[in-house]
Amino acid sequence: MCSGDRSQHRKSKRVAVVGAGAAGLVVLRELLREGHTATVFEQEERLGGTWVYDGSVPLTNGCKPAKHVHTSMYKHLRTNLPRELMSFTDFPFVQEVMHSVDARRFCGHAEVLAYLEAFAAFYRLRPHIRYGRRVLHALPLWEDATAVDCGPRWRVTTCSAGRADQGVEEAVFDAVLVCNGHYSVPRTPAVAGAAEFPGAQMHSHSYRDARPFAGQTVVVVGASASGEDIGREVADCAGMVYLSARNWHTAPDWDGAWDAPVGRRRNLLRRPELGALLPDGDVTWAHDCPPAAHVDTVIYATGYHYTFDFLEDSGAFTLHDNRVAPLYQHVVPPACPSLALIGLPWKVVPFPQHELQGKWVARVLSGRARLPARPAMEAVAAEHSAQLAARRVPARKAHLLGDAQWAYNDWLAAAAGPDVELLPAWRSEMYDLTGEGKRTAPDSYRDDTAYPPHLLAAVEADMRRQVQ
Ligand code: FAD
């Protein structure tokens, strides 16, 4: 991306995008709008990434999936954000636009996929996507760099998906935008006794539905969004479910008693983090609390590793425990401004943030927006590192934004250009109310959260504006 170009004339670049999930699609739309030539390489045979449910995942005893599957989507997942909040800023996630069947505000995964498909159809994105093409390597051509500030061009090597030795092709691009998703490579804790434990162990990446656990005693490890939801789902089928987490005592439903059920399910109990898995099938905890006897299955809902295998030799950044550094504004490595990593921040509303990141990057590439020079970007990245160190933030939380997402989104919009609108205020208000509902009524917030009339009116007005 060129930081030195002051002309108003838009430059058209040849851009490779890795991945056709929500991020890749909206980034492609922004690139095309900006007059670039873009090719999206997608390893799967269809678009949608995470939202493409694949029920053919064989259950294995082990945390390594039996076959490569990108998606971690499970059968009965309903979104944990209201659909209006998930929508891109100019393509409302409403039935009027999609002619779909699932009208729920917190809809099932098929509805989200239908939304992304409708988006791709409306903006005629499909001809720019090459399906079944896995990106093997993206190598910066430093010797070929025409202007230092614009960064190198890239040699991108792809192959037929699943066959690294077949259909290998190379092409050169001016820039690479990485939209490869971050919920595919399981992250599991090292647990004492795991190797000798007779029960099954799996990661939530391979969880699809609760039926295989009928009548079982199950431990679900991790109480983030997936752990809480999967724990509840499994409890509807299993004999007993223990929901184990480091912060069990901060759950709103924790009342200090080990035998107090979680919500309305009498067979769902909170437990501290795992102590050890024992050879007789029992499980102990890291705090004083009765062991769980004869556990059949342990499901690790313990998150994912960020991976960028195809950039390993680029030298553009380092990756340590899900922290990518140095990065300018969570997106651009200062030493390599023709590379952008989209979608790194978490605890955010992803779709509109992807859109703003894409808008900014597309405009930087065309010269309509500008990056600071490398030393200035390095200084911003160093300042961010210093803040994380001062607050003793662990590496894996370096891209956690939470409440900071709104200021970050505003920064992206402003950096993209004066004509780019800030996200309207109803989005943060709706996000906060949803979070409150999730915390206080995790069983029912999807159906029962009552948004105030002024908020719903603002949402509706915005959706209507977008349809026109
Ligand atoms: P992905 O959707 O993962 O897409 C990445 C794409 O890149 C994939 O299609 C993949 O095949 C492709 N790819 C990867 N590597 C390569 C390569 N080397 N070559 C070619 N192609 C490649 N978000 C919400 O807003 N609301 C929710 O309710 C919600 N629920 C979620 C539930 C689960 C179980 C999970 C896992 C995530 C959930 N999310 C939710 C977050 C979700 O990941 C984001 O909403 C969003 O889908 C991320 O889009 P993405 O394009 O960044 O990644």
Side-chain angles (χ1 to χ4, degrees), residues 3 10 16 81 104 123 143 155 175 195 222 268 294 347 379 388 414 457:
S3 58
R10 288 193 209 178
L81 293 173
R104 293 171 300 177
Y123 290 104
E143 67 285 0
R155 180 181 301 119
L268 180 62
H294 308 301
K347 281 213 176 155
L388 295 175

Side-chain angles (χ1 to χ4, degrees), residues 46 54 66 81 106 120 150 207-209 221 237 239-240 243 248 255 267 284 314 329 393 414 463:
R46 61 185 295 185
D54 179 351
L81 293 173
F106 294 81
C150 293
Y207 174 84
R208 290 300 179 263
D209 78 287
V221 185
C237 248
M240 178 58 78
L243 195 47
W248 87 95
D255 75 351
N267 63 340
T284 64
S314 72
Q329 300 294 349
V393 177
M463 296 291 136

Side-chain angles (χ1 to χ4, degrees), residues 57-334:
V57 182
L59 265 185
T60 51
N61 183 9
C63 294
K64 201 169 180 307
K67 65 169 190 167
H68 169 83
V69 178
H70 178 81
T71 184
S72 303
M73 193 48 61
Y74 43 94
K75 191 171 181 182
H76 298 294
L77 177 131
R78 288 177 68 187
T79 59
N80 54 23
L81 293 173
R83 55 197 296 154
E84 298 93 332
L85 194 49
M86 287 177 66
S87 65
F88 298 122
T89 62
D90 52 6
F91 193 74
F93 192 172
V94 293
Q95 285 199 291
E96 224 175 315
V97 166
M98 300 164 51
H99 311 294
S100 57
V101 290
D102 183 353
R104 293 171 300 177
R105 173 161 277 146
F106 294 81
C107 56
H109 53 77
E111 181 80 356
V112 183
L113 183 61
Y115 173 68
L116 295 176
E117 281 172 342
F119 180 81
F122 185 82
Y123 290 104
R124 299 188 171 86
L125 302 181
R126 286 176 194 277
H128 305 273
I129 305 173
R130 293 196 58 199
Y131 293 103
R133 300 299 305 170
R134 180 172 172 76
V135 175
L136 280 178
H137 306 291
L139 266 183
L141 303 172
W142 290 107
E143 67 285 0
D144 194 35
T146 43
V148 172
D149 281 349
C150 293
R153 296 204 292 163
W154 293 80
R155 180 181 301 119
V156 175
T157 309
T158 60
C159 66
S160 303
R163 315 283 293 263
D165 56 343
Q166 284 200 9
V168 174
E169 292 175 14
E170 282 187 357
V172 172
F173 294 88
D174 297 313
V176 172
L177 309 192
V178 178
C179 305
N180 63 335
H182 308 296
Y183 300 100
S184 281
V185 181
R187 180 187 177 101
T188 39
V191 182
E196 292 79 35
F197 184 66
Q201 297 175 67
M202 59 180 283
H203 190 274
S204 57
H205 171 62
S206 308
Y207 174 84
R208 290 300 179 263
D209 78 287
R211 277 171 310 171
F213 311 101
Q216 291 193 359
T217 297
V218 179
V219 173
V220 177
V221 185
S224 59
S226 293
E228 289 282 339
D229 280 348
I230 290 173
R232 284 172 168 74
E233 240 185 65
V234 173
D236 287 341
C237 248
M240 178 58 78
V241 177
Y242 298 101
L243 195 47
S244 156
R246 199 171 295 155
N247 55 357
W248 87 95
H249 50 286
T250 61
D253 53 32
W254 171 250
D255 75 351
W258 293 120
D259 55 359
V262 177
R264 62 177 171 80
R265 294 173 179 83
R266 305 209 65 76
N267 63 340
L268 180 62
L269 303 180
R270 291 207 182 269
R271 285 294 179 265
E273 68 184 295
L274 286 179
L277 307 185
L278 305 181
D280 62 0
D282 288 1
V283 168
T284 64
W285 315 103
H287 286 259
D288 192 19
C289 158
H294 308 301
V295 170
D296 299 292
T297 303
V298 179
I299 302 175
Y300 296 99
T302 42
Y304 295 88
H305 291 291
Y306 286 15
T307 50
F308 304 97
D309 298 354
F310 50 89
L311 285 166
E312 239 162 37
D313 303 324
S314 72
F317 56 80
T318 62
L319 171 65
H320 165 63
D321 198 14
N322 282 9
R323 177 175 182 198
V324 183
L327 275 188
Y328 179 62
Q329 300 294 349
H330 300 279
V331 176
V332 180

Side-chain angles (χ1 to χ4, degrees), residues 80-81 85-86 183 343-354 357 399-406 408-409 431:
N80 54 23
L81 293 173
L85 194 49
M86 287 177 66
Y183 300 100
L344 292 190
W346 55 287
K347 281 213 176 155
V348 298
V349 182
F351 290 17
Q353 189 170 91
H354 295 155
Q357 289 182 328
H399 302 292
L400 185 162
L401 291 188
D403 289 343
Q405 68 182 298
W406 309 109
Y408 176 70
N409 291 339
Y431 181 81

